[in-house]
Amino acid sequence: MPASNDETDSGVAPEPPFPDSRNVIEPDCRRCPALAENRNCISWGTGPLDADVLVVGEAPGSGNPDADRWKGGNWTGKAYTSRHSGRRIRRMLERVGYDERSYYTNAVKCFPASEEDPTSNREPTDEERANCRAHLVTEVETLEPNVVLATGKHATKSVLAAEDRGLEGFIDSVLEPVRCETLDTWLVPILHPSYQDVWIVRMGYEPEEYLAEIGATLDELVDGTDA
């Protein structure tokens, strides 16, 4: 996965504070043997349990035990803290006024290590996504968020799967709210932070316009106005 270019949003807002807690759902979960064998920590969700927004990523990064704490969910055991994507999405949410009102998690809670390179990730399998879906549903039921903000295609598919729904044409779904009746919340897909610099322009947005649209969409849904 390519690293995102932080130049587009660095220096505009202070660094979001590093998450200092996590919400453990099933200690030492071993539903996925391959993931359990290769992980250092289960990267459970991080944030306030009364959050308005539940941010869902695909899976935690590998992390670096010798680096600063925010550089890896697999070593910290906290969701969405990895060097590129995690820091960037937390900064984006801070800039639109929602970082302290957001809870961060992943559709798959354990780092899916590549067989060829254990420090590199592979895509989680369909079985691994299905095994971890109960944890994601538990988080939604616990938080009762106004909005689930799914970052990228795979996170969006995982949320929709909990509704027994599929996804066609991810790019067309970006920033288009979907009412999830089973989960009793709104789903808003956005671009994965690692790919947004490429796709923002292709979608016809300038970076600031895209960020403003995320903020406006959250404001509308969190305030309880029908989309």
Side-chain angles (χ1 to χ4, degrees):
M1 181 175 293
S4 60
N5 178 4
D6 272 351
E7 291 180 0
T8 58
D9 57 2
S10 63
V12 178
E15 281 293 324
F18 181 82
D20 59 6
S21 64
R22 60 184 185 142
N23 182 42
V24 177
I25 297 175
E26 184 180 332
D28 198 33
C29 174
R30 305 189 70 84
R31 298 184 187 192
C32 304
L35 297 186
E37 180 181 350
N38 289 287
R39 73 183 177 217
N40 292 96
C41 291
I42 302 175
S43 296
W44 295 112
T46 300
L49 296 182
D50 60 351
D52 295 313
V53 179
L54 172 57
V55 183
V56 181
E58 178 180 346
S62 62
N64 181 346
D66 298 321
D68 291 334
R69 291 183 303 164
W70 54 260
K71 290 190 176 180
N74 189 43
W75 288 90
T76 63
K78 302 179 182 73
Y80 245 148
T81 59
S82 62
R83 180 173 53 192
H84 298 296
S85 299
R87 180 173 60 168
R88 182 169 238 204
I89 192 66
R90 287 187 290 112
R91 183 184 292 144
M92 289 172 61
L93 268 293
E94 184 179 59
R95 289 179 62 189
V96 297
Y98 280 91
D99 183 61
E100 294 184 359
R101 301 166 65 184
S102 295
Y103 179 99
Y104 298 89
T105 193
N106 289 296
V108 174
K109 314 301 184 189
C110 297
F111 173 63
S114 167
E115 292 183 4
E116 293 77 16
D117 179 5
T119 66
S120 179
N121 69 296
R122 59 169 172 80
E123 287 189 4
T125 66
D126 290 341
E127 181 179 6
E128 289 165 350
R129 296 179 206 277
N131 286 343
C132 217
R133 195 166 299 135
H135 296 326
L136 180 61
V137 171
T138 296
E139 288 174 313
V140 176
E141 292 175 344
T142 300
L143 272 69
E144 299 181 333
N146 297 86
V147 179
V148 173
L149 194 69
T151 63
K153 177 176 67 176
H154 299 297
T156 301
K157 290 173 66 175
S158 290
V159 177
L160 288 173
E163 294 277 310
D164 292 324
R165 297 167 66 173
L167 173 67
E168 294 183 9
F170 170 69
I171 293 300
D172 292 335
S173 76
V174 171
L175 289 174
E176 293 292 332
V178 177
R179 185 64 191 171
C180 296
E181 298 297 341
T182 301
L183 297 175
D184 191 24
T185 190
W186 287 97
L187 167 65
V188 177
I190 64 171
L191 298 169
H192 191 284
S194 291
Y195 295 102
Q196 70 180 36
D197 291 333
V198 174
W199 284 103
I200 284 175
V201 175
R202 295 184 185 180
M203 291 177 60
Y205 288 105
E206 293 294 329
E208 289 299 323
E209 293 174 332
Y210 172 72
L211 186 63
E213 188 65 25
I214 292 175
T217 301
L218 291 178
D219 286 344
E220 185 176 27
L221 298 178
V222 169
D223 287 341
T225 304
D226 289 342

